[in-house]
Amino acid sequence: MRACLSSIALAALASTQVVSAAPVAGSAKLIGRDDAAGIQYVPGSVDWDKVDWSQVNWSAVSWDAVNWQSVFSSEQPPIYTSEAPVSSAQSQPPSAAPAPTSAVPAPPSVVPAPVPPSVVPQPSKTAPVPAPTSVVPPPPTAAPTPAPSPKPQPSTSPSPSPSPKPSPEPVYTSESTPEPVTSSPAAPEPEKPASSGSLWGLTYSPYNTDGSCPDVGTVTSQLQKVAGVTGNIRLYSTDCSQLRNALQAISSSNLNLGIHAGLWISDGESRMQSDLDEFIAATKQYDSSLVKGVSVGNEDLSKGMSESTLIGYINQVRARLQSEGLGHIPVYATEQDAHFTKAIAAVCDVVQVNIYSIFDSIFTSVDSSVKSVIQRADNIRNNVAGGKPVRFGETGWSSAGSTGPSPLSLTSEIAYVQKFKCAAAAAGYDYFYFEAKDALWKQGQALSEQSFGIFGHDFVQKFDFGLLNLC
């Protein structure tokens, strides 16, 4: 800009014949009239002390012809300072002249102000316009001057947002994501995963939609998907070879899944014995370390079984496992929290309780529903468990149907599983979320009972499981 402004001044100096019109290496091209002494270049060296500024003919400059966009261009010739020596290809300013700080020195302060033209054209709005400097004497207040626009930022590429502790280079970890600097407000920091996994456990009933038994290929395919969202599954029985198929699927596919098996005792002792025999055979056939525990029944006190009968079954199963060399496998009952007694807890290795708030007679919010189940588990832990670990055997939310005032929808199901997972982790509870897939095999039962799955009945996930990692 300074070189171009000085070009205008040199055009006005044409009649004084002070400057040469010959091109000088490193000079800038003049933007002005061709008939102003034929000046086409700004010399690289001018002895400004010898200029008689009183003789400057400012009217000789054709201000209408000035290309103001070029005048105020951000491109400037080299600035010569004590820290930036002039190259040999450029003329040095004479030693007698004051040391310049830019390509064109400022004229002496004693020079009278020239009379500029009456109208100064406005520069282009797209070009940044710096404030006038002392290179050219300022015009009188009567003449309009170009308004300066904001200076552009020095950096031309996005840079990460500053971290709370300044450092020469920002450090990005798995818990901090670089954010580019933009003209818009900074985006909120992403939420951090609560843990490396999604859910601690899932209940899994493998039955086909028509209630028939799936083959091992189907179970393998389904458990491969389940292993992407949890590291533990809970089974309820050994029928349909479900324990054997699950063990084979996990072994053959090298899945990171632990099995918490179940024995069905609601149909009497003969069924319990049949399940126990199959449990022992399947566990011995495969790696028994894959079996993390076995539940004797599910909510059988709630169904009317006596406490003494249930205690008898639990003791019988434990004794049989010990005799078969499987005494390392934990044995326990699973019961609703309202029916779990201290006597039952006393014979269990784990106190496993099923707790739901979806059936409550009052609903205020999903947050309140989650707090309710955690408080009820706390009650078992503090007043029933006798110091033994407490685990949720079931909890969940249906995505359809009706169970009372609680809103049953996919949105509510997602909200519940997200909030419950975080609350359970904070309170120190392991859990099995109910359940892996929608149970259309429960034909004739309420829609709400069939719609607890995080997968549909076809084992297509019902929502983005990435949402399960946020707390």
Side-chain angles (χ1 to χ4, degrees):
M1 181 188 76
R2 292 173 179 171
C4 293
L5 288 174
S6 62
S7 300
I8 297 168
L10 290 172
L13 288 168
S15 63
T16 67
Q17 299 181 353
V18 174
V19 297
S20 170
V24 177
S27 60
K29 188 172 181 180
L30 172 67
I31 308 299
R33 290 181 57 179
D34 291 337
D35 61 350
I39 295 177
Q40 299 296 321
Y41 294 87
V42 177
S45 174
V46 176
D47 189 349
W48 293 95
D49 288 339
K50 295 181 180 181
V51 177
D52 186 353
W53 292 94
S54 65
Q55 299 300 316
V56 174
N57 183 6
W58 291 97
S59 62
V61 180
S62 177
W63 297 92
D64 294 337
V66 176
N67 186 337
W68 287 97
Q69 184 171 359
S70 297
V71 170
F72 293 98
S73 171
S74 60
E75 299 180 358
Q76 300 185 19
I79 297 176
Y80 306 137
T81 67
S82 60
E83 297 180 355
V86 183
S87 66
S88 60
Q90 296 171 327
S91 301
Q92 295 281 355
S95 59
T101 58
S102 64
V104 181
S109 59
V110 298
V111 178
V115 179
S118 58
V119 178
V120 179
Q122 292 290 327
S124 169
K125 293 181 179 179
T126 60
V129 184
T133 68
S134 60
V135 175
V136 178
T141 56
T145 58
S149 58
K151 293 182 179 180
Q153 294 294 323
S155 176
T156 59
S157 60
S159 59
S161 299
S163 57
K165 295 182 180 180
S167 59
E169 295 289 340
V171 178
Y172 305 137
T173 68
S174 60
E175 294 185 355
S176 63
T177 303
E179 297 176 9
V181 175
T182 64
S183 59
S184 59
E189 184 177 354
E191 294 179 280
K192 299 176 182 179
S195 65
S196 59
S198 295
L199 298 174
W200 191 89
L202 272 176
T203 66
Y204 173 64
S205 296
Y207 310 108
N208 293 325
T209 299
D210 61 3
S212 62
C213 298
D215 57 29
V216 66
T218 300
V219 172
T220 300
S221 175
Q222 293 179 354
L223 291 185
Q224 286 173 342
K225 295 181 179 181
V226 167
V229 73
T230 188
N232 296 279
I233 59 170
R234 180 191 170 195
L235 306 180
Y236 291 83
S237 179
T238 62
D239 68 335
C240 284
S241 301
Q242 58 180 283
L243 175 59
R244 194 181 297 268
N245 288 345
L247 286 166
Q248 181 177 336
I250 292 170
S251 299
S252 62
S253 300
N254 195 28
L255 301 179
N256 186 22
L257 282 175
I259 298 177
H260 301 254
L263 307 178
W264 195 255
I265 64 173
S266 298
D267 295 333
E269 185 172 359
S270 61
R271 171 65 186 270
M272 189 268 292
Q273 290 293 344
S274 174
D275 270 21
L276 180 56
D277 290 343
E278 172 63 11
F279 172 84
I280 292 171
T283 301
K284 285 186 172 182
Q285 180 179 352
Y286 296 93
D287 182 0
S288 66
S289 67
L290 295 176
V291 180
K292 307 301 181 181
V294 57
S295 176
V296 181
N298 182 66
E299 297 186 353
D300 287 287
L301 293 180
S302 306
K303 299 172 187 175
M305 183 177 289
S306 68
E307 181 183 83
S308 59
T309 299
L310 180 55
I311 290 174
Y313 285 159
I314 294 171
N315 289 334
Q316 186 176 343
V317 170
R318 179 178 288 110
R320 176 78 183 276
L321 294 185
Q322 290 174 345
S323 66
E324 297 286 350
L326 300 174
H328 62 281
I329 298 176
V331 179
Y332 45 86
T334 303
E335 190 53 68
Q336 294 179 12
D337 62 313
H339 295 275
F340 220 112
T341 66
K342 291 181 180 180
I344 297 297
V347 296
C348 292
D349 296 317
V350 178
V351 177
Q352 184 159 285
V353 291
N354 295 347
I355 307 177
Y356 291 89
S357 57
I358 194 173
F359 302 102
D360 291 352
S361 59
I362 298 175
F363 173 82
T364 55
S365 68
V366 173
D367 282 304
S368 297
S369 296
V370 169
K371 290 179 181 177
S372 174
V373 297
I374 296 297
Q375 289 171 353
R376 287 161 61 181
D378 288 344
N379 178 61
I380 296 295
R381 175 189 277 170
N382 297 332
N383 301 308
V384 177
K388 294 183 178 180
V390 175
R391 181 170 67 206
F392 282 84
E394 291 179 12
T395 191
W397 199 278
S398 180
S399 62
S402 176
T403 56
S406 296
L408 305 189
S409 66
L410 183 57
T411 299
S412 297
E413 180 183 6
I414 295 171
Y416 182 85
V417 65
Q418 282 182 314
K419 295 176 185 298
F420 170 79
K421 175 197 170 178
C422 299
Y429 289 112
D430 293 340
Y431 59 88
F432 293 100
Y433 190 81
F434 186 84
E435 62 184 322
K437 67 172 181 176
D438 283 346
L440 297 192
W441 58 270
K442 295 181 178 180
Q443 298 174 7
Q445 297 195 31
L447 178 61
S448 59
E449 184 66 23
Q450 299 175 351
S451 307
F452 278 88
I454 62 172
F455 292 93
H457 68 90
D458 53 0
F459 238 88
V460 174
Q461 62 188 63
K462 292 162 69 174
F463 57 89
D464 179 8
F465 291 165
L467 298 173
L468 300 177
N469 284 329
L470 305 180
C471 284

mmCIF file of all heavy atoms in Angstrom, residues 60-86:
data_model
loop_
_atom_site.group_PDB
_atom_site.id
_atom_site.type_symbol
_atom_site.label_atom_id
_atom_site.label_comp_id
_atom_site.label_asym_id
_atom_site.label_seq_id
_atom_site.Cartn_x
_atom_site.Cartn_y
_atom_site.Cartn_z
ATOM 1 N N ALA A 60 -1.754 17.480 -10.483
ATOM 2 C CA ALA A 60 -1.329 16.713 -11.660
ATOM 3 C C ALA A 60 -1.744 15.250 -11.561
ATOM 4 O O ALA A 60 -1.675 14.530 -12.532
ATOM 5 C CB ALA A 60 0.203 16.814 -11.813
ATOM 6 N N VAL A 61 -2.130 14.814 -10.372
ATOM 7 C CA VAL A 61 -2.529 13.418 -10.215
ATOM 8 C C VAL A 61 -3.997 13.250 -10.606
ATOM 9 O O VAL A 61 -4.850 14.006 -10.166
ATOM 10 C CB VAL A 61 -2.351 12.958 -8.753
ATOM 11 C CG1 VAL A 61 -2.790 11.494 -8.621
ATOM 12 C CG2 VAL A 61 -0.911 13.146 -8.324
ATOM 13 N N SER A 62 -4.254 12.252 -11.438
ATOM 14 C CA SER A 62 -5.646 11.943 -11.802
ATOM 15 C C SER A 62 -6.203 10.964 -10.777
ATOM 16 O O SER A 62 -6.022 9.761 -10.870
ATOM 17 C CB SER A 62 -5.705 11.332 -13.203
ATOM 18 O OG SER A 62 -7.031 10.979 -13.514
ATOM 19 N N TRP A 63 -6.841 11.498 -9.757
ATOM 20 C CA TRP A 63 -7.337 10.655 -8.672
ATOM 21 C C TRP A 63 -8.414 9.672 -9.135
ATOM 22 O O TRP A 63 -8.579 8.600 -8.576
ATOM 23 C CB TRP A 63 -7.885 11.521 -7.540
ATOM 24 C CG TRP A 63 -6.827 12.367 -6.916
ATOM 25 C CD1 TRP A 63 -6.486 13.636 -7.249
ATOM 26 C CD2 TRP A 63 -5.942 11.964 -5.884
ATOM 27 N NE1 TRP A 63 -5.446 14.063 -6.479
ATOM 28 C CE2 TRP A 63 -5.088 13.051 -5.612
ATOM 29 C CE3 TRP A 63 -5.782 10.784 -5.133
ATOM 30 C CZ2 TRP A 63 -4.093 13.013 -4.664
ATOM 31 C CZ3 TRP A 63 -4.806 10.749 -4.182
ATOM 32 C CH2 TRP A 63 -3.959 11.853 -3.945
ATOM 33 N N ASP A 64 -9.182 10.061 -10.171
ATOM 34 C CA ASP A 64 -10.237 9.159 -10.678
ATOM 35 C C ASP A 64 -9.639 7.903 -11.296
ATOM 36 O O ASP A 64 -10.288 6.869 -11.370
ATOM 37 C CB ASP A 64 -11.120 9.864 -11.708
ATOM 38 C CG ASP A 64 -11.923 10.985 -11.084
ATOM 39 O OD1 ASP A 64 -12.137 10.939 -9.844
ATOM 40 O OD2 ASP A 64 -12.336 11.873 -11.822
ATOM 41 N N ALA A 65 -8.384 8.017 -11.757
ATOM 42 C CA ALA A 65 -7.768 6.880 -12.434
ATOM 43 C C ALA A 65 -7.058 5.934 -11.468
ATOM 44 O O ALA A 65 -6.534 4.918 -11.872
ATOM 45 C CB ALA A 65 -6.769 7.371 -13.490
ATOM 46 N N VAL A 66 -7.022 6.331 -10.207
ATOM 47 C CA VAL A 66 -6.301 5.500 -9.243
ATOM 48 C C VAL A 66 -7.079 4.197 -9.003
ATOM 49 O O VAL A 66 -8.271 4.223 -8.769
ATOM 50 C CB VAL A 66 -6.111 6.252 -7.911
ATOM 51 C CG1 VAL A 66 -5.452 5.316 -6.893
ATOM 52 C CG2 VAL A 66 -5.264 7.488 -8.125
ATOM 53 N N ASN A 67 -6.374 3.087 -9.059
ATOM 54 C CA ASN A 67 -6.961 1.772 -8.743
ATOM 55 C C ASN A 67 -6.820 1.542 -7.244
ATOM 56 O O ASN A 67 -5.818 1.050 -6.748
ATOM 57 C CB ASN A 67 -6.224 0.671 -9.504
ATOM 58 C CG ASN A 67 -6.894 -0.687 -9.309
ATOM 59 O OD1 ASN A 67 -7.595 -0.886 -8.334
ATOM 60 N ND2 ASN A 67 -6.667 -1.590 -10.250
ATOM 61 N N TRP A 68 -7.834 1.950 -6.513
ATOM 62 C CA TRP A 68 -7.733 1.917 -5.044
ATOM 63 C C TRP A 68 -7.642 0.507 -4.502
ATOM 64 O O TRP A 68 -7.124 0.275 -3.420
ATOM 65 C CB TRP A 68 -8.928 2.646 -4.437
ATOM 66 C CG TRP A 68 -8.798 4.132 -4.637
ATOM 67 C CD1 TRP A 68 -9.368 4.873 -5.606
ATOM 68 C CD2 TRP A 68 -8.003 5.020 -3.857
ATOM 69 N NE1 TRP A 68 -8.991 6.180 -5.494
ATOM 70 C CE2 TRP A 68 -8.139 6.303 -4.398
ATOM 71 C CE3 TRP A 68 -7.171 4.842 -2.735
ATOM 72 C CZ2 TRP A 68 -7.486 7.414 -3.882
ATOM 73 C CZ3 TRP A 68 -6.527 5.955 -2.213
ATOM 74 C CH2 TRP A 68 -6.681 7.230 -2.793
ATOM 75 N N GLN A 69 -8.210 -0.493 -5.226
ATOM 76 C CA GLN A 69 -8.073 -1.874 -4.746
ATOM 77 C C GLN A 69 -6.616 -2.291 -4.708
ATOM 78 O O GLN A 69 -6.170 -2.985 -3.808
ATOM 79 C CB GLN A 69 -8.868 -2.818 -5.644
ATOM 80 C CG GLN A 69 -8.839 -4.269 -5.150
ATOM 81 C CD GLN A 69 -9.804 -5.141 -5.916
ATOM 82 O OE1 GLN A 69 -10.499 -4.645 -6.787
ATOM 83 N NE2 GLN A 69 -9.828 -6.406 -5.573
ATOM 84 N N SER A 70 -5.840 -1.855 -5.713
ATOM 85 C CA SER A 70 -4.419 -2.166 -5.703
ATOM 86 C C SER A 70 -3.696 -1.345 -4.663
ATOM 87 O O SER A 70 -2.752 -1.802 -4.030
ATOM 88 C CB SER A 70 -3.813 -1.904 -7.089
ATOM 89 O OG SER A 70 -4.385 -2.744 -8.048
ATOM 90 N N VAL A 71 -4.153 -0.073 -4.485
ATOM 91 C CA VAL A 71 -3.510 0.793 -3.490
ATOM 92 C C VAL A 71 -3.579 0.157 -2.112
ATOM 93 O O VAL A 71 -2.618 0.147 -1.346
ATOM 94 C CB VAL A 71 -4.181 2.184 -3.461
ATOM 95 C CG1 VAL A 71 -3.679 2.980 -2.272
ATOM 96 C CG2 VAL A 71 -3.896 2.933 -4.756
ATOM 97 N N PHE A 72 -4.757 -0.400 -1.810
ATOM 98 C CA PHE A 72 -4.943 -0.963 -0.478
ATOM 99 C C PHE A 72 -4.768 -2.479 -0.463
ATOM 100 O O PHE A 72 -5.241 -3.154 0.407
ATOM 101 C CB PHE A 72 -6.338 -0.598 0.064
ATOM 102 C CG PHE A 72 -6.480 0.874 0.315
ATOM 103 C CD1 PHE A 72 -7.086 1.689 -0.627
ATOM 104 C CD2 PHE A 72 -5.947 1.426 1.467
ATOM 105 C CE1 PHE A 72 -7.195 3.038 -0.382
ATOM 106 C CE2 PHE A 72 -6.052 2.776 1.700
ATOM 107 C CZ PHE A 72 -6.673 3.604 0.769
ATOM 108 N N SER A 73 -4.103 -2.999 -1.448
ATOM 109 C CA SER A 73 -3.804 -4.423 -1.467
ATOM 110 C C SER A 73 -2.903 -4.777 -0.304
ATOM 111 O O SER A 73 -2.070 -3.990 0.134
ATOM 112 C CB SER A 73 -3.125 -4.799 -2.784
ATOM 113 O OG SER A 73 -2.657 -6.109 -2.733
ATOM 114 N N SER A 74 -3.079 -6.031 0.204
ATOM 115 C CA SER A 74 -2.248 -6.482 1.325
ATOM 116 C C SER A 74 -0.833 -6.808 0.887
ATOM 117 O O SER A 74 0.050 -7.044 1.705
ATOM 118 C CB SER A 74 -2.875 -7.713 1.988
ATOM 119 O OG SER A 74 -2.965 -8.747 1.047
ATOM 120 N N GLU A 75 -0.562 -6.868 -0.456
ATOM 121 C CA GLU A 75 0.783 -7.140 -0.921
ATOM 122 C C GLU A 75 1.638 -5.880 -0.832
ATOM 123 O O GLU A 75 1.255 -4.815 -1.308
ATOM 124 C CB GLU A 75 0.763 -7.630 -2.377
ATOM 125 C CG GLU A 75 -0.019 -8.926 -2.557
ATOM 126 C CD GLU A 75 -0.027 -9.390 -3.990
ATOM 127 O OE1 GLU A 75 0.553 -8.669 -4.825
ATOM 128 O OE2 GLU A 75 -0.605 -10.439 -4.251
ATOM 129 N N GLN A 76 2.783 -5.989 -0.230
ATOM 130 C CA GLN A 76 3.677 -4.853 -0.049
ATOM 131 C C GLN A 76 5.078 -5.241 -0.466
ATOM 132 O O GLN A 76 5.457 -6.402 -0.393
ATOM 133 C CB GLN A 76 3.686 -4.417 1.419
ATOM 134 C CG GLN A 76 2.327 -3.986 1.931
ATOM 135 C CD GLN A 76 2.426 -3.466 3.341
ATOM 136 O OE1 GLN A 76 3.498 -3.115 3.782
ATOM 137 N NE2 GLN A 76 1.321 -3.408 4.025
ATOM 138 N N PRO A 77 5.859 -4.255 -0.922
ATOM 139 C CA PRO A 77 7.257 -4.544 -1.225
ATOM 140 C C PRO A 77 8.002 -4.811 0.062
ATOM 141 O O PRO A 77 7.501 -4.557 1.139
ATOM 142 C CB PRO A 77 7.730 -3.266 -1.903
ATOM 143 C CG PRO A 77 6.835 -2.196 -1.401
ATOM 144 C CD PRO A 77 5.511 -2.845 -1.203
ATOM 145 N N PRO A 78 9.228 -5.345 -0.032
ATOM 146 C CA PRO A 78 9.995 -5.651 1.180
ATOM 147 C C PRO A 78 10.203 -4.429 2.041
ATOM 148 O O PRO A 78 10.379 -3.317 1.555
ATOM 149 C CB PRO A 78 11.320 -6.179 0.628
ATOM 150 C CG PRO A 78 11.030 -6.623 -0.768
ATOM 151 C CD PRO A 78 9.950 -5.710 -1.253
ATOM 152 N N ILE A 79 10.122 -4.644 3.355
ATOM 153 C CA ILE A 79 10.367 -3.566 4.326
ATOM 154 C C ILE A 79 11.791 -3.714 4.824
ATOM 155 O O ILE A 79 12.179 -4.763 5.324
ATOM 156 C CB ILE A 79 9.369 -3.642 5.484
ATOM 157 C CG1 ILE A 79 7.955 -3.430 4.946
ATOM 158 C CG2 ILE A 79 9.701 -2.625 6.556
ATOM 159 C CD1 ILE A 79 6.880 -3.579 5.983
ATOM 160 N N TYR A 80 12.539 -2.710 4.687
ATOM 161 C CA TYR A 80 13.946 -2.769 5.057
ATOM 162 C C TYR A 80 14.123 -2.240 6.459
ATOM 163 O O TYR A 80 13.768 -1.117 6.767
ATOM 164 C CB TYR A 80 14.785 -1.923 4.079
ATOM 165 C CG TYR A 80 14.563 -2.282 2.638
ATOM 166 C CD1 TYR A 80 14.430 -1.310 1.663
ATOM 167 C CD2 TYR A 80 14.436 -3.612 2.259
ATOM 168 C CE1 TYR A 80 14.219 -1.640 0.334
ATOM 169 C CE2 TYR A 80 14.216 -3.945 0.937
ATOM 170 C CZ TYR A 80 14.101 -2.957 -0.030
ATOM 171 O OH TYR A 80 13.884 -3.293 -1.339
ATOM 172 N N THR A 81 14.642 -3.044 7.315
ATOM 173 C CA THR A 81 14.923 -2.645 8.688
ATOM 174 C C THR A 81 16.294 -3.171 9.047
ATOM 175 O O THR A 81 16.959 -3.853 8.249
ATOM 176 C CB THR A 81 13.885 -3.233 9.662
ATOM 177 O OG1 THR A 81 14.046 -4.639 9.679
ATOM 178 C CG2 THR A 81 12.473 -2.881 9.250
ATOM 179 N N SER A 82 16.713 -2.875 10.261
ATOM 180 C CA SER A 82 18.007 -3.357 10.718
ATOM 181 C C SER A 82 18.032 -4.859 10.863
ATOM 182 O O SER A 82 19.087 -5.478 10.884
ATOM 183 C CB SER A 82 18.364 -2.708 12.059
ATOM 184 O OG SER A 82 17.373 -3.034 13.021
ATOM 185 N N GLU A 83 16.844 -5.475 10.958
ATOM 186 C CA GLU A 83 16.762 -6.924 11.110
ATOM 187 C C GLU A 83 16.528 -7.634 9.789
ATOM 188 O O GLU A 83 16.543 -8.839 9.726
ATOM 189 C CB GLU A 83 15.634 -7.306 12.082
ATOM 190 C CG GLU A 83 15.860 -6.793 13.476
ATOM 191 C CD GLU A 83 14.740 -7.174 14.390
ATOM 192 O OE1 GLU A 83 13.756 -7.754 13.911
ATOM 193 O OE2 GLU A 83 14.858 -6.894 15.592
ATOM 194 N N ALA A 84 16.262 -6.875 8.710
ATOM 195 C CA ALA A 84 16.038 -7.465 7.395
ATOM 196 C C ALA A 84 16.886 -6.729 6.385
ATOM 197 O O ALA A 84 16.448 -5.753 5.799
ATOM 198 C CB ALA A 84 14.561 -7.391 7.002
ATOM 199 N N PRO A 85 18.140 -7.113 6.174
ATOM 200 C CA PRO A 85 19.036 -6.407 5.246
ATOM 201 C C PRO A 85 18.529 -6.482 3.824
ATOM 202 O O PRO A 85 17.884 -7.434 3.422
ATOM 203 C CB PRO A 85 20.362 -7.147 5.414
ATOM 204 C CG PRO A 85 19.986 -8.494 5.915
ATOM 205 C CD PRO A 85 18.785 -8.284 6.773
ATOM 206 N N VAL A 86 18.857 -5.456 3.045
ATOM 207 C CA VAL A 86 18.455 -5.374 1.636
ATOM 208 C C VAL A 86 19.326 -6.289 0.821
ATOM 209 O O VAL A 86 20.535 -6.373 1.029
ATOM 210 C CB VAL A 86 18.579 -3.923 1.130
ATOM 211 C CG1 VAL A 86 18.090 -3.833 -0.301
ATOM 212 C CG2 VAL A 86 17.801 -2.996 2.026
#
